[in-house]
Each structure stands twice: as structure tokens, then as C-alpha cells.
Amino acid sequence: MGRFRFCSRSLNVAIVALFLLSFPFMCFGIRYFPANGEMEVHSGSDVLFGYTEAPEYRNGVGCSRDSIHVAMTIDLEYLRGSIAAVHSVLRHASCPENVFFHFIAAEFDPASPRDLTRLVRSTFPSLNFKVYIFREDTVINLISSSIRIALENPLNYARNYLGDILDPYVDRVIYLDSDIVIVDDIQKLWNITLQKNRIIGAPEYCHTNFTKYFTDSFWSDPMMSRVFGSRKPCYFNTGVMVMDMEKWRKGNYRKRIENWMELQRKKRIYELGSLPPFLLVFGGNIEPIHHRWNQHGLGGDNVKGSCRSLHSGPVSLLHWSGKGKPWVRLDEKRPCPLDHLWEPYDLYKRNHHRHQSVVGSFNFVGVHRDSEIL
């Protein structure tokens, strides 16, 4: 794709504005191929310059040409986590060249989508990926206040719009948060069957007190609480989901989620951010996946970010959901014990020389705990 240069800055801005307004949905994709090895970054952050190139990961024997589609958000604040997550997926994949990443970038992030595209390309030269620009005004008027301001970031809601964001040919996708590492072959997660016409597959946690995710005003309203009348809802974490995008689009699930967000603005029915609308639409009607695929809550609760242990059993994916992030705690020299399991996948140059060895397979036994603390 060629690049155009305009002599007039004002003309350029006007054309871009008309271009954006002409799109009926909330994003568009960009593919960027650097010319003459250029690497232009204008945001002024050394974070964008600070990554070492990842090792080259090639397909093993017997790999088909079938793609595994993975969707993730990418922004300056969580960039280090996103890069580590990608690295972990490639490191443990039996067919890493088959993994296609769909990165969703915020329209007004301090790091522009073009800068992020260049950075990903320089860090993973052979990676198959595309960057989409998420128009934040699509969702900004639907977001209500949460118990933690970070949960109000519009990019947290991009997963609601995957049916419109991703190219129409993508009929199945694995959605991953940016604060995870995978220590198993992602092909295993991709191959999970969504039975009984289900839209989403995710680890389900039925021991959790489901009622705490909604306010008393929700449960006291017979019309609203009746949404769970015909199903037994269980908590699931939206940071790891296998999604049937063909059924998602046909069922207009974006609008179903938006309806609950609109109601939340009128009558407060939950305190967390983007999770409760998903629970309202899908709770009790998802494909239950083994818990090993989302050992979540490692960032601690949403207020203090205290250290956590793992669930009992094997581990395929570690998820630092909650307030504390491993790269922050490691830099501040106050890491939790499990943060050291994230560190080997960190490609940030300042720390890369300290952990050249990569974590292999895991079979940890930890303390069983509730999934979330409000």
C-alpha cells in the first residue's frame, strides 16, 4: 500500500476527517510495510524504542496452512504486556507461523497506530498481523463509572465490537487480554468445540458468588433479574475467550451488550466495567473450558492489587487481571512471586539481559480462591 503526502496540513486533516466519517462502523485496519528500513516514532516515549527483536519461531513438522486468529488490544500503557503475550504465544506454539494477530489500537492513544505497527514489525519481523484503529467515540457515551478508573478506558470495550472490527472472513477468533502469558500450545485452545450453538467458550467459575457482580437494585427488579430465570449463570473472565464470530454477527450480540450498558447509565446495576454486560448476555450459556486456560486474578483485587496464588491444577495460561501488573511491580522492585513467571517473556531491552531462559511447561498447585474481589 502506498503512502500519500499532502502539502497542506489543513487539507490533510479535512480529508482524514471525511474519511473517518464515511465509515459506518467504529474502526478501520492498516497494514504497514516500512520503506528503506525506516522507524519513525514521534510520541516521545522511550518505551517505543526499547524492545529487542524476538527469536525467529518456525512451524514444526506436520503444520497445515490453517490460520489461528488471535485478537488483542494494543496501547502505550499495556504495550509491554502485549509484546510479552505475543512472545509467549509464539514461543509455545507448535505452528507459530499460522498464528495471525489482530491488534486493536485506540484512535487517540499517545502512541499512534502507525507507530505501534512499526514497533510490532521490528520486534516480530515475520509475524502475521494487522492493526485496526478503534474509534473511541463509538462507546464513550455508553461507559459508566467503575470502581477503578482504569476499567473505564474505552479500549476495554473493544471486545464488544469484534464482529464489526475484524474482517468478515474471520469467523472464529481467540480474544486475549494484554496481561497474559501462554505456556502451552495455542492450537489446543483453538481446537476447542463450541457445542449446543454456543457463541463463546471460556473457563467458568461456578463456586463464585455471582450475585456480587450486580447491585441490589438489579436483583430487586423482577424484570431485570428474570434474565437469568431460565439459566444457571456462572462467572467467567472475558480476558480469554474463544468466539464464534459468524454466530456473533448473526445474533447481533454487540447490540445486546449495548442495551445493558444503556440501562446501566439510567439505573446503576453493576460496579465493574466491561465484564457485567457480558455476564448478563452470556452467563450460564457458554462453552466451559478447562480452568488451566485462564489462571486469572494474578494482579490481585481491583483496589489493593495484593499478591495472589494459583488455582489448584495444571496451568496453560497465566492472567494478571486485577490492579497489579507484573512489569510495573518488577520495575518498582516489589514483585509478587508469580510475577517472575511473566518476566522471561519480557522483550523490553532494559530487562531482557536478565532473563534469557524461557519458562517451559508448568504444573503448579496453588491455593483455590474466589475469582474476583469487588
Side-chain angles (χ1 to χ4, degrees), residues 68-115:
I68 298 172
H69 294 281
V70 177
M72 297 177 62
T73 59
I74 187 168
D75 64 345
L76 190 62
E77 182 179 2
Y78 280 69
L79 179 59
R80 200 159 147 198
S82 298
I83 295 296
V86 173
H87 187 201
S88 73
V89 171
L90 299 177
R91 171 66 178 83
H92 294 281
S94 57
C95 303
E97 294 176 90
N98 291 2
V99 184
F100 192 105
F101 282 89
H102 302 264
F103 295 111
I104 304 162
E107 184 178 8
F108 300 115
D109 190 72
S112 74
R114 184 174 293 276
D115 290 339

Side-chain angles (χ1 to χ4, degrees), residues 304-321:
K304 296 180 180 179
S306 54
C307 293
R308 294 287 183 82
S309 300
L310 291 172
H311 298 277
S312 299
V315 179
S316 293
L317 184 149
L318 299 105
H319 186 187
W320 278 262
S321 58

Side-chain angles (χ1 to χ4, degrees), residues 97-264:
E97 294 176 90
N98 291 2
V99 184
F100 192 105
F101 282 89
H102 302 264
F103 295 111
I104 304 162
E107 184 178 8
F108 300 115
D109 190 72
S112 74
R114 184 174 293 276
D115 290 339
L116 293 171
T117 301
R118 289 166 169 161
L119 172 63
V120 173
R121 175 61 66 211
S122 68
T123 307
F124 304 101
S126 60
L127 187 71
N128 297 311
F129 75 96
K130 183 175 181 178
V131 176
Y132 304 78
I133 303 173
F134 181 60
R135 294 184 59 184
E136 298 171 57
D137 59 354
T138 304
V139 73
I140 195 70
N141 292 326
L142 292 172
I143 298 175
S144 57
S145 60
S146 184
I147 61 173
R148 186 160 60 88
I149 193 168
L151 300 176
E152 300 171 24
N153 188 323
L155 205 56
N156 291 339
Y157 295 83
R159 72 196 82 184
N160 301 0
Y161 299 92
L162 289 178
D164 302 304
I165 291 174
L166 302 182
D167 293 322
Y169 74 86
V170 180
D171 56 11
R172 181 183 177 96
V173 71
I174 297 173
Y175 176 83
L176 297 175
D177 273 352
S178 296
D179 51 0
I180 65 97
V181 293
I182 286 184
V183 293
D184 203 343
D185 186 357
I186 197 170
Q187 182 80 46
K188 298 176 185 177
L189 184 60
W190 179 255
N191 288 340
I192 287 170
T193 301
L194 300 179
Q195 303 182 69
K196 299 180 181 178
N197 213 34
R198 288 167 175 154
I199 317 299
I200 287 177
E204 202 173 37
Y205 300 87
C206 294
H207 67 279
T208 318
N209 181 6
F210 189 83
T211 60
K212 70 181 181 179
Y213 292 99
F214 304 96
T215 62
D216 291 340
S217 62
F218 171 83
W219 293 113
S220 62
D221 188 312
M223 292 296 293
M224 284 193 291
S225 59
R226 195 166 60 183
V227 68
F228 296 122
S230 61
R231 49 192 166 120
K232 181 183 177 182
C234 293
Y235 165 81
F236 66 95
N237 182 277
T238 52
V240 180
M241 297 185 289
V242 179
M243 308 176 71
D244 187 320
M245 299 314 302
E246 185 176 3
K247 291 188 177 73
W248 177 284
R249 295 181 183 107
K250 287 181 179 179
N252 200 11
Y253 283 93
R254 180 197 77 176
K255 183 58 180 174
R256 298 189 194 192
I257 290 173
E258 286 181 336
N259 289 340
W260 284 111
M261 294 176 68
E262 290 169 355
L263 183 59
Q264 162 77 350

Side-chain angles (χ1 to χ4, degrees), residues 52 80 326-335 339-340 342-359:
T52 189
R80 200 159 147 198
W327 57 92
V328 175
R329 295 193 293 216
L330 286 163
D331 283 356
E332 294 178 349
K333 302 190 185 305
R334 54 176 188 85
D339 293 345
H340 295 293
W342 177 89
E343 193 174 13
Y345 303 97
D346 184 16
L347 292 175
Y348 193 51
K349 289 179 181 177
R350 189 171 65 189
N351 299 308
H352 184 66
H353 68 279
R354 297 198 312 232
H355 46 79
Q356 292 297 318
S357 62
V358 179
V359 178

